[in-house]
């Protein structure tokens, strides 16, 4: 499915977004985990996403990480990127409904970037839904925009540069 086809489903305009919700595994990462013999887990994140997050901070866009993963790596990466992080969340839809109400934000101004079935119900609540190219088919079906890269390969940077047409070179000067 091409991003052009997905984009015609519902145009996404950054000015309409009050909150971006990012899943962690499969968005910031390639959805794989490295496991050492002593049981420690690690993942690989793409630094170009960090540059994109910095640009979004500069545009005063509110963002959160919402993950079912309990591993501390989620919080460490979010902290480094200065992102509010909620991990170990078993029911993302329930959490997000409470969060949105508490913050006084409308779901019609929320963009959710997710990739797998644990994002499905929460994503459906949001007007704008974006996913990497290697997402589960059910997530692709409900998304407004299909990012041309796989999870962990610069999804957030692609979102800024291709979906929102933001020139990071000009923005970071």
């Amino acid at each position: 499915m091409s991003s052009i086809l997905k984009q015609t489903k519902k145009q996404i305009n950054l000015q309409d977004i009050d909150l971006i919700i990012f899943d962690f595994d499969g968005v910031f990462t390639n959805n794989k985990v490295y496991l050492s013999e002593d049981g420690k887990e690690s993942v690989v994140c793409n630094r170009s996403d960090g540059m994109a997050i910095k640009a979004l901070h500069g545009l005063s866009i509110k963002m959160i990480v919402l993950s079912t993963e309990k591993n501390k790596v989620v919080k460490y990466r979010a902290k480094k990127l200065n992102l509010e992080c909620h991990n170990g969340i078993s029911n993302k839809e329930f959490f997000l409904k409470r969060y949105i109400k508490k913050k006084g934000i409308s779901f019609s101004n929320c963009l959710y970037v997710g990739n797998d079935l644990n994002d499905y119900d929460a994503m459906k609540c949001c007007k704008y839904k974006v996913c990497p190219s290697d997402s589960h088919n059910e997530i692709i079906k409900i998304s407004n925009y299909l990012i041309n890269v796989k999870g962990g390969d610069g999804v957030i940077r692609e979102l800024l540069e291709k979906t929102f047409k933001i020139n990071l070179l000009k923005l970071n000067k």
Side-chain angles (χ1 to χ4, degrees):
M1 189 174 294
S2 79
S3 62
I4 294 169
L5 288 176
K6 295 302 285 182
Q7 192 173 17
T8 60
K9 204 169 160 185
K10 188 175 287 181
Q11 189 66 36
I12 303 172
N13 188 336
L14 191 57
Q15 288 77 20
D16 297 332
I17 306 300
D18 291 333
L19 174 67
I20 300 176
I21 303 107
F22 297 109
D23 178 30
F24 187 76
D25 289 318
V27 173
F28 284 92
T29 77
N30 63 2
N31 222 11
K32 295 180 181 179
V33 63
Y34 298 94
L35 187 62
S36 69
E37 63 185 34
D38 62 354
K40 292 191 179 186
E41 294 182 5
S42 62
V43 296
V44 175
C45 296
N46 192 309
R47 288 201 185 269
S48 69
D49 283 335
M51 186 176 285
I53 294 291
K54 182 179 177 186
L56 286 168
H57 280 304
L59 295 170
S60 299
I61 303 294
K62 178 152 181 61
M63 299 168 279
I64 65 170
V65 172
L66 183 57
S67 178
T68 55
E69 179 56 54
K70 294 177 183 176
N71 194 305
K72 292 178 186 174
V73 71
V74 179
K75 283 195 180 267
Y76 288 129
R77 184 65 181 153
K79 183 178 180 181
K80 184 169 185 173
L81 297 174
N82 197 26
L83 292 172
E84 183 178 333
C85 181
H86 303 276
N87 67 322
I89 306 299
S90 60
N91 185 330
K92 291 182 178 185
E93 177 190 21
F94 178 76
F95 175 89
L96 195 54
K97 284 181 176 178
R98 284 191 6 219
Y99 183 89
I100 295 295
K101 184 176 182 181
K102 181 180 176 185
K103 298 294 182 180
I105 299 169
S106 169
F107 276 111
S108 63
N109 299 102
C110 291
L111 183 148
Y112 196 113
V113 184
N115 74 305
D116 214 339
L117 295 176
N118 62 340
D119 298 307
Y120 186 85
D121 292 329
M123 283 181 84
K124 284 199 69 155
C125 294
C126 299
K127 181 176 181 179
Y128 304 103
K129 298 164 275 295
V130 174
C131 69
S133 64
D134 61 342
S135 297
H136 190 281
N137 282 336
E138 294 300 320
I139 298 300
I140 292 172
K141 284 181 192 175
I142 65 167
S143 292
N144 309 109
Y145 197 90
L146 178 67
I147 298 293
N148 288 323
V149 298
K150 293 179 179 182
D153 286 345
V155 169
I156 301 159
R157 184 172 196 154
E158 179 90 1
L159 174 70
L160 263 66
E161 292 182 331
K162 303 292 192 235
T163 307
F164 297 136
K165 308 291 188 226
I166 293 174
N167 183 330
L168 291 177
L169 182 61
K170 287 183 181 178
L171 191 63
N172 287 320
K173 284 190 174 189

